[in-house]
Amino acid sequence: MQFELLQQVKPTAKVCPKHQIPLVSFREQTPFCTACKKEALAEQERKQAQEATDRAYRRRTIEVLTKDSLLGDDSLKAVRFSNYRADNFETQKALEQAQLFASEYLATFRQLNQLKTKWLLAKENSQSDSEEVQRLEAAYREYDRKTRFNVVFIGSPGVGKSHLAMSMLHAINTQATPYVSCLFISTVDLMRKVKDSFRNKESRYTEENMTQLLRRVDLLVLDDVGSESTLQRLQREKDVQQLESSRYNQEFLYGILNARGRTILTTNLNSEEFDQLYNEKLVSRMFRGAQGKVIKFTKATADKRTRLRF
């Protein structure tokens, strides 16, 4: 069959101005250059491969926030710095601090990318164990280590902690060059879905999957930290099963936070309550690098959400 088709390809008197070879005719098609045709097909394949690479890159970075987050409250999808209501000195200061810390994260990610690019380019162009490669790698890792910090929002429910935390992620997600991965996770929903996966083997929220995702992202928000434990505390019957559940929560969160260097936490707890609920190792990971990065709301800021009075 292919031989019969080849017999229908006929050279013409016309010559390709680019490749200086005769154009060919095939059935009713306009005469064409076989070399140009090969180049066009190769370019089409290259574009398709690049598009697939770009889609995969976007999925690993800028699309993580919308496709992998566990919000708990869908209204958080629309929050931005621009629609945060700063109605007193405290909320105005909180807004300015959140914007400042977001800018610090952005600057860090840009510098890390520049340092890593220099290191990898040097690695490609010389021996991997050369002094220059080692120096650039050390510079990258040292900058990464020195610029790690967590941000902690503390205050009563409804004061805007989650709003500002999500606004930080959105600003970074839209402004970072190149893209970075940001993720917003409701801690209560996280623990519920992971534990549900014990019975549902088809769940995407397995311990392994979620541990990998939460460790990997560039910037993570753990929202309402403490609720997964305070709910248990209110319901606790002091039985072995409850103690095991609490231990599991802490070990799971520790495994995530111990591998991270840039995490934003929101919580209703104060420092004393943290010490009561969590073990010392976990608390230290939650507040790692958070000196000067705590945004605290007091009674001066009222609940911004609509509440029924009776």
Side-chain angles (χ1 to χ4, degrees):
M1 182 63 180
Q2 286 189 344
F3 182 72
E4 292 177 3
L5 291 174
L6 286 173
Q7 287 184 323
Q8 299 179 51
V9 178
K10 306 292 185 183
T12 68
K14 295 181 179 180
V15 175
C16 172
K18 180 179 180 181
H19 297 101
Q20 296 300 308
I21 60 175
L23 303 184
V24 298
S25 63
F26 178 70
R27 294 180 175 174
E28 302 301 321
Q29 294 184 27
T30 302
F32 59 89
C33 170
T34 54
C36 287
K37 201 76 166 178
K38 288 179 181 177
E39 289 178 353
L41 288 172
E43 178 62 15
Q44 183 180 10
E45 290 177 357
R46 186 197 66 78
K47 285 183 177 180
Q48 289 175 343
Q50 185 61 50
E51 288 172 359
T53 299
D54 291 345
R55 285 196 299 272
Y57 173 59
R58 288 179 62 87
R59 183 63 184 87
R60 293 194 310 271
T61 54
I62 195 171
E63 294 180 0
V64 168
L65 183 60
T66 56
K67 294 187 176 181
D68 295 323
S69 290
L70 291 174
L71 300 183
D73 179 0
D74 281 346
S75 67
L76 288 171
K77 293 177 181 178
V79 304
R80 304 288 186 270
F81 282 136
S82 59
N83 56 26
Y84 177 75
R85 288 187 292 131
D87 47 19
N88 62 20
F89 174 79
E90 185 170 81
T91 52
Q92 181 62 39
K93 181 181 178 182
L95 173 61
E96 292 172 359
Q97 286 181 299
Q99 291 172 324
L100 174 63
F101 298 152
S103 297
E104 289 185 28
Y105 278 131
L106 267 173
T108 296
F109 291 138
R110 288 177 183 143
Q111 183 64 18
L112 279 172
N113 177 69
Q114 293 175 9
L115 291 171
K116 189 172 185 178
T117 300
K118 289 180 181 179
W119 164 34
L120 295 180
L121 283 174
K123 193 174 181 179
E124 287 180 7
N125 297 328
S126 62
Q127 294 182 353
S128 60
D129 60 348
S130 70
E131 289 185 6
E132 177 66 6
V133 171
Q134 291 179 13
R135 184 187 67 79
L136 290 171
E137 180 182 2
Y140 165 76
R141 298 195 183 282
E142 177 65 10
Y143 183 80
D144 179 39
R145 184 188 64 79
K146 289 170 56 177
T147 56
R148 294 184 170 209
F149 67 89
N150 291 354
V151 173
V152 184
F153 289 88
I154 297 175
S156 301
V159 294
K161 303 184 300 296
S162 301
H163 188 134
L164 288 175
M166 174 58 94
S167 297
M168 289 178 68
L169 291 190
H170 181 266
I172 293 165
N173 207 51
T174 55
Q175 296 177 40
T177 306
Y179 297 144
V180 297
S181 54
C182 299
L183 184 67
F184 188 102
I185 293 291
S186 161
T187 310
V188 171
D189 289 337
L190 170 66
M191 299 314 306
R192 176 175 57 80
K193 286 182 176 291
V194 168
K195 290 176 182 178
D196 284 347
S197 74
F198 298 164
R199 298 184 299 272
N200 178 12
K201 300 304 180 184
E202 301 301 316
S203 173
R204 61 180 287 201
Y205 299 104
T206 63
E207 178 181 345
E208 181 179 1
N209 287 348
M210 297 309 292
T211 297
Q212 289 179 356
L213 174 63
L214 272 62
R215 285 179 172 179
R216 184 180 70 240
V217 293
D218 296 304
L219 187 59
L220 170 68
V221 166
L222 287 178
D223 188 46
D224 211 7
V225 171
S227 290
E228 83 292 338
S229 294
T230 52
L231 286 174
Q232 290 179 0
R233 182 176 60 178
L234 290 171
Q235 299 168 357
R236 186 157 52 201
E237 298 175 359
K238 295 183 179 179
D239 59 11
V240 174
Q241 184 177 0
Q242 197 66 56
L243 290 172
E244 286 298 323
S245 178
S246 177
R247 185 180 296 113
Y248 176 82
N249 289 356
Q250 297 204 38
E251 290 177 353
F252 181 74
L253 291 175
Y254 178 82
I256 292 165
L257 290 166
N258 189 50
R260 297 193 52 75
R262 298 174 183 90
T263 306
I264 301 169
L265 299 96
T266 77
T267 183
N268 303 330
L269 306 178
N270 57 38
S271 57
E272 290 76 17
E273 290 170 324
F274 265 101
D275 291 338
Q276 292 172 9
L277 283 174
Y278 298 117
N279 65 55
E280 185 178 352
K281 289 198 307 179
L282 179 54
V283 172
S284 72
R285 297 305 184 272
M286 288 178 173
F287 291 95
R288 181 160 54 185
Q291 294 82 358
K293 309 292 185 184
V294 176
I295 300 176
K296 185 176 181 178
F297 294 90
T298 67
K299 292 181 179 180
T301 301
D303 190 335
K304 294 178 180 293
R305 297 175 294 196
T306 302
R307 298 190 65 178
L308 179 64
R309 303 292 180 181
F310 56 89

